[in-house]
Amino acid sequence: MRSFFSRIHESVALAAIFALSVTLHVAWLANLLAHKIPLVRAWFTVSADIGPVSGMYLFTLIVFVLFFGLGVLAWKGKDCSHWRERILWFFMVSLVVFFVMTLPIVYDFGVLVE
Amino acid sequence: MQGVLLTEGSTISIALSDAGLVLFGVLLVLYGVAVGMTFVIRHAKESWGMLSGIYFLILAVLVGIVMLDLSGASGALYTIQSIEHLSELLSTHRWLLIQVPVLLALSSLIVLLTYRSNIAESHAKTYRMFLQIAVLFGFASVILIGFESML
């Protein structure tokens, strides 16, 4: 038991960053789909009082937990040193993409065909 | 006469009666502390516990703010008619943006609890960099939300 806590379980830390990065992508995608497709917006409306945001937040949380679990299982007991830089870059790119794709002028963009 | 602090019905007393405003103020202070501590953790490795506590508080305050807004228990709302559409767009943007500090704080907490005092060691450089980027972007998101809420 003491050796479990004295070790660094790097798979957990790496999985957290990986799950965060994936969740950011899922979040902007969910927003884009909910904005463009009424069916998706209705599907995300868990609480009618709150609106589609209720489902989107819940979906984001589920995705984070799911990918965190998958990451921990995938990297458990393995040497993660060569994954550190890759996951960090994935995180940085995900952050930038999220900020750009959640700008109203970006996800609201549409082409009118007459 | 309505003053800022010393008079009856002062601006501060009105502001402190709004739970959301108080929480936002607390959040800014917590982030300020977290930014400072994150950048010196390499030289003060034993402060990982306090930094973890700060992140936990940040997470709790953020969840509290979101819960307050979702429950509709907010203060008075003011909309300037001429920029009504912009206000609506920015409100949607804020609902999206609030996810960033929540997720960043949660992930940072997990990384800190995993590495503990070992976060100061050379092999943890990548994770320290993650903590630094996360705290800066989280703080920037909160400030951006604050600015957008003024429109």
Side-chain angles (χ1 to χ4, degrees):
Chain A
M1 191 70 164
R2 198 180 292 172
S3 65
F4 177 85
F5 287 109
S6 61
R7 279 173 49 211
I8 300 170
H9 299 275
E10 192 179 351
S11 57
V12 175
L14 207 61
I17 302 173
F18 172 68
L20 165 69
S21 309
V22 171
T23 305
L24 286 172
H25 282 295
V26 167
W28 74 256
L29 270 166
N31 172 60
L32 186 67
L33 290 173
H35 190 73
K36 297 288 184 187
I37 305 169
L39 183 66
V40 174
R41 192 182 308 130
W43 189 72
F44 274 131
T45 308
V46 172
S47 166
D49 293 330
I50 299 169
V53 152
S54 56
M56 282 164 65
Y57 283 179
L58 197 62
F59 186 56
T60 302
L61 189 65
I62 290 169
V63 166
F64 181 84
V65 170
L66 181 70
F67 278 89
F68 177 66
L70 287 173
V72 167
L73 287 172
W75 282 307
K76 185 184 171 188
K78 294 191 179 117
D79 176 23
C80 308
S81 55
H82 56 285
W83 280 102
R84 289 173 197 156
E85 294 288 323
R86 293 173 194 178
I87 296 297
L88 184 68
W89 274 108
F90 181 38
F91 158 68
M92 289 193 280
V93 167
S94 305
L95 207 52
V96 171
V97 169
F98 179 85
F99 273 104
V100 170
M101 295 306 295
T102 51
L103 288 171
I105 54 167
V106 174
Y107 69 77
D108 210 18
F109 180 78
V111 177
L112 185 65
V113 177
E114 289 181 11
Chain B
M1 172 180 97
Q2 188 191 39
V4 174
L5 184 65
L6 305 173
T7 58
E8 199 178 307
S10 60
T11 312
I12 292 288
S13 69
I14 296 167
L16 287 174
S17 65
D18 189 325
L21 269 176
V22 172
L23 285 178
F24 188 72
V26 167
L27 188 62
L28 290 177
V29 170
L30 287 172
Y31 258 114
V33 174
V35 168
M37 287 185 74
T38 303
F39 280 90
V40 299
I41 198 158
R42 194 182 167 203
H43 308 288
K45 62 179 184 179
E46 295 309 321
S47 62
W48 73 269
M50 188 172 169
L51 187 56
S52 301
I54 299 281
Y55 273 120
F56 182 75
L57 285 173
I58 285 173
L59 206 51
V61 169
L62 281 166
V63 169
I65 289 172
V66 172
M67 286 295 146
L68 265 177
D69 270 347
L70 288 176
S71 70
S74 56
L77 295 169
Y78 302 95
T79 308
I80 303 167
Q81 207 108 35
S82 57
I83 55 167
E84 200 178 327
H85 180 62
L86 179 65
S87 295
E88 194 186 318
L89 272 177
L90 291 178
S91 173
T92 308
H93 189 228
R94 289 197 298 279
W95 281 111
L96 295 168
L97 214 53
I98 195 71
Q99 296 173 96
V100 172
V102 172
L103 290 170
L104 289 176
L106 180 61
S107 304
S108 300
L109 187 59
I110 293 172
V111 169
L112 268 171
L113 290 176
T114 304
Y115 266 80
R116 301 183 298 277
S117 60
N118 299 303
I119 195 75
E121 289 169 19
S122 56
H123 65 86
K125 184 185 169 188
T126 311
Y127 296 100
R128 276 199 311 277
M129 212 177 299
F130 163 74
L131 289 176
Q132 288 162 4
I133 295 169
V135 78
L136 287 175
F137 270 86
F139 197 17
S141 303
V142 168
I143 290 175
L144 184 61
I145 289 169
F147 277 128
E148 285 186 12
S149 64
M150 289 195 278
L151 292 172

